[in-house]
Amino acid sequence: MRGPLPGWLVGIARRKIADAHAARSRRTELAAAHAAREGAGVPVTAERPEAALDRVLVTQELRKLPPVQRQILRLAYFDDLTHVQIAERTGLPLGTVKSHARRAILRIRRSVAEGSASEESVMEGSASVA
C-alpha cells in the first residue's frame, strides 16, 4: 500500500467531485450557447459562411490527394468507419490504412497552412501599399 486509506479515499472523492463539476460546467456552457443562438433568432441549422468556404477548401484538398488516401479519408470521415473497418473494406493492412490516413491529414494541414500564410502575406503587402 502506498499511503493511508483515508488519504486515498479523499483523493478519489476529490477527483469525482472535480469530474462532476467539469461535466456540469460543460452542460451549462452548452445550454447557454444554445440559448444564445435561439435568442439571437439564428436557426440552429443555419450555416455560417465560413463553413461553406471550409467545405470548398476541404473538397479541393481532397482532390489533390492520391486516390487511395482520398478513399481512406472519405471512408473515415464521411462514412464514419474505424481504421479496422476501412482495412476490412479495402483489403489493405491496418498499418497501411493508418499511415495513409495520417499522411493525408498532414498533407492537407500543410497545404492549408501554406495557403493561409500566403494569404496573410498578400494582405500585409496590400496594407503596406495603401
Side-chain angles (χ1 to χ4, degrees):
M1 199 154 124
R2 292 187 176 175
L5 180 63
W8 180 77
L9 289 174
V10 167
I12 295 290
R14 184 181 307 151
R15 284 188 205 96
K16 285 292 196 181
I17 291 168
D19 290 345
H21 179 67
R24 187 178 314 125
S25 296
R26 279 192 302 269
R27 283 193 304 269
T28 303
E29 289 170 4
L30 288 173
H34 180 71
R37 274 194 308 250
E38 290 293 320
V42 176
V44 177
T45 59
E47 185 176 298
R48 301 179 341 257
E50 300 87 24
L53 293 174
D54 290 345
R55 194 170 46 252
V56 169
L57 178 64
V58 169
T59 301
Q60 289 174 345
E61 294 303 322
L62 281 172
R63 287 185 186 137
K64 294 178 186 176
L65 292 175
V68 174
Q69 289 181 355
R70 185 178 328 124
Q71 179 189 20
I72 288 172
L73 286 187
R74 285 182 192 270
L75 291 171
Y77 289 98
F78 299 118
D79 293 347
D80 200 28
L81 297 179
T82 65
H83 287 137
V84 173
Q85 292 168 328
I86 294 169
E88 290 171 355
R89 185 173 287 187
T90 61
L92 295 170
L94 179 60
T96 303
V97 168
K98 290 180 178 183
S99 296
H100 280 314
R102 179 164 171 72
R103 279 194 298 269
I105 290 170
L106 290 174
R107 185 173 178 178
I108 289 173
R109 182 180 297 155
R110 197 172 25 247
S111 180
V112 168
E114 289 170 1
S116 65
S118 66
E119 285 177 15
E120 287 176 10
S121 64
V122 168
M123 294 295 279
E124 288 173 3
S126 64
S128 64
V129 171

